[in-house]
Amino acid sequence: MNSINNQNQINVGVDTGKTQLDIYIRPLGIYFVVSNDESGIKEAITEIKKHKVTRVVIEATGRLEQPFIMACAKANIPFVIANPVNIKRFAGAINQRAKTDKLDAQLIAHYAEVIKPKLSQLKPEQIRLMSDLLSRRRQLMEMQTMEKNRLQIMPKEITSSIKPMLTVIKNQLEKTDNKLHKLIESCEEYKTKNDIIQSVPGVGKVVAFNLISEMPELGYINNKEAASLVGVAPFNRDSGSYKGKRMIRGGRSQIRTAMYMAMMSAIQCNPTFKAMYQRLVAAGKPKKVAIIACIRKLVITLNSMVRDGVYWDPKMN
C-alpha cells in the first residue's frame, strides 16, 4: 500500500551549488541542471510546475538556497528545507556512499519519497521582515545611546527635551521586540531554533533574533565555518620565518557585537563559560582574548545544538 502511495507522489530533490542547481524528479526519472541565478531558477520553476509535485526538497545551506525557496513560495510550490545531517543519515541507511551532483539530487528525491518530511512553514518574506526589524532595532539602540550620552553632558535646562525622546525610543524598542517575537512565534521553524538558542544561560532574545535572521546557516555548516561567519575564528599571520599572533577578522559584525554583549552576561551567570573565562585569564590571556575564545565556544555549541535539535546541557561541554 505504501509503495502505491509513493508512486502517486512526485518528489523533487534539489542539490544546491554556488553556480548551479541539480534537480531530480522522482519517480519520473527526470534530471536537469540550471544555473543558480534568476534565469536558471525561472527555468526550474517552469519545469517543476509541469508536474503535480507533492514536495520539493532542497538541502539547507543557509543562503545559497534562498532565491530558489523564494521562487517556490511565490509559485505556490510545496517545499521542504531539509537539514543536511538528516539526508546524510539517510544516505548511510541505504548504504549510498558515491557522490556526484546528480546522485545527490537523486538521493534527496529518494529521501523525500521515503521520509515524507513535513512541509516548511518558513516564508521568505518573513526572513526579509526580520532582517529589516533588526536593522531598525539597531538604529533605535544607537539613538538611545546618543541621547543617554547627551543626558550626561548637557546642562539641566536641556535635559527636559532629552528625557521625552528616551521614552519614545524605549516604546519603539518594545514595539519592535514584540513584532520580532510574534514573527518567531508564527513559524514553527523559527520558534524551535529560538527556543534552542535561548536555552543557553546568558543568551537572550537579541542574540536569538540576530542568529535566526542574519545567520540562517546556523546548524547546517561545520563548526569552523560557523566560527568564521561570526568572525571569531583565529587566522594565522605567518610569512617565512615571521610568526605573527593569530587574529580574528571578517565575519558578520552585528552578530559578533550581539554575542559579545551576551558573553559579558554569560561569564557571570553561566558556570560553563564563567569557568572557561576564568581559566583563560588565569593562564595569562588578555580579558578580551578570553571573551572572544568564549564566544567561539558558544558559536560552536549553538551550531551543534541547532544541528541536532537539542537544548542546552552543561554536561555536553
Side-chain angles (χ1 to χ4, degrees):
M1 188 71 169
N2 191 41
S3 61
I4 293 174
N5 288 337
N6 284 344
Q7 288 174 3
N8 292 333
Q9 293 188 354
I10 296 177
N11 290 278
V12 181
V14 182
D15 182 58
T16 317
K18 287 184 179 179
T19 59
Q20 70 180 44
L21 299 171
D22 289 76
I23 300 171
Y24 188 85
I25 304 178
R26 185 183 173 101
L28 304 179
I30 298 172
Y31 169 72
F32 61 100
V33 181
V34 297
S35 54
N36 192 3
D37 55 24
E38 188 176 348
S39 61
I41 290 170
K42 185 177 180 181
E43 180 186 339
I45 295 296
T46 300
E47 178 61 35
I48 290 169
K49 288 200 77 172
K50 291 178 183 177
H51 316 282
K52 193 175 180 181
V53 301
T54 306
R55 64 183 67 79
V56 173
V57 177
I58 186 166
E59 199 173 44
T61 65
R63 289 185 182 268
L64 293 177
E65 78 279 7
Q66 291 296 331
F68 179 79
I69 289 169
M70 289 182 185
C72 284
K74 190 174 181 181
N76 293 317
I77 294 173
F79 65 89
V80 177
I81 307 169
N83 190 324
V85 173
N86 295 335
I87 293 173
K88 188 175 181 180
R89 287 172 181 162
F90 178 75
I94 63 172
N95 201 30
Q96 179 172 318
R97 290 184 172 84
K99 276 185 70 64
T100 66
D101 292 337
K102 181 178 180 179
L103 285 174
D104 284 347
Q106 288 177 322
L107 172 68
I108 296 168
H110 193 187
Y111 165 85
E113 180 180 278
V114 174
I115 304 300
K116 299 179 176 61
K118 186 179 178 182
L119 295 179
S120 296
Q121 296 175 302
L122 194 61
K123 293 181 174 60
E125 59 267 23
Q126 289 178 318
I127 298 172
R128 286 195 296 266
L129 177 57
M130 182 171 283
S131 183
D132 290 342
L133 285 169
L134 278 170
S135 294
R136 182 56 184 158
R137 192 184 194 282
R138 283 191 289 272
Q139 292 167 0
L140 289 167
M141 289 298 293
E142 288 170 4
M143 286 190 282
Q144 185 183 63
T145 300
M146 287 189 288
E147 288 297 286
K148 284 183 175 179
N149 289 339
R150 293 185 184 110
L151 193 62
Q152 298 297 321
I153 61 174
M154 297 297 283
K156 288 183 179 180
E157 292 81 3
I158 306 299
T159 57
S160 60
S161 68
I162 296 175
K163 289 180 179 178
M165 287 298 297
L166 283 169
T167 301
V168 170
I169 293 170
K170 182 183 176 183
N171 291 337
Q172 288 301 312
L173 276 168
E174 287 177 358
K175 287 181 180 180
T176 303
D177 284 351
N178 287 336
K179 286 178 181 178
L180 283 163
H181 182 71
K182 286 180 181 178
L183 198 57
I184 285 172
E185 290 295 312
S186 70
C187 176
E188 191 62 35
E189 290 166 66
Y190 279 164
K191 189 177 184 301
T192 300
K193 187 179 283 191
N194 177 63
D195 290 345
I196 289 171
I197 293 169
Q198 291 202 52
S199 71
V200 181
V203 176
K205 61 184 180 182
V206 176
V207 169
F209 292 164
N210 274 277
L211 287 174
I212 292 169
S213 174
E214 307 297 336
M215 193 176 168
E217 297 95 335
L218 191 73
Y220 301 130
I221 53 181
N222 64 45
N223 291 338
K224 187 176 180 181
E225 290 170 332
S228 295
L229 281 179
V230 179
V232 289
F235 290 88
N236 291 333
R237 297 173 66 235
D238 302 337
S239 177
S241 60
Y242 171 76
K243 302 294 181 184
K245 284 185 179 180
R246 299 181 81 200
M247 304 285 286
I248 62 169
R249 67 169 184 263
R252 295 171 190 166
S253 59
Q254 67 271 27
I255 300 175
R256 187 166 60 252
T257 300
M259 298 200 77
Y260 191 94
M261 299 305 295
M263 187 50 64
M264 297 299 288
S265 170
I267 59 177
Q268 300 296 324
C269 68
N270 187 316
T272 298
F273 291 104
K274 183 177 183 179
M276 181 180 177
Y277 173 76
Q278 290 176 340
R279 185 174 67 251
L280 290 169
V281 172
K285 297 289 184 184
K287 290 182 178 180
K288 189 172 182 180
V289 171
I291 291 172
I292 292 297
C294 289
I295 293 173
R296 182 162 59 251
K297 175 68 173 176
L298 176 58
V299 171
I300 289 170
T301 301
L302 287 170
N303 190 57
S304 299
M305 288 168 60
V306 172
R307 180 194 65 212
D308 299 332
V310 298
Y311 291 81
W312 169 257
D313 182 356
K315 293 177 183 178
M316 64 185 171
N317 290 283

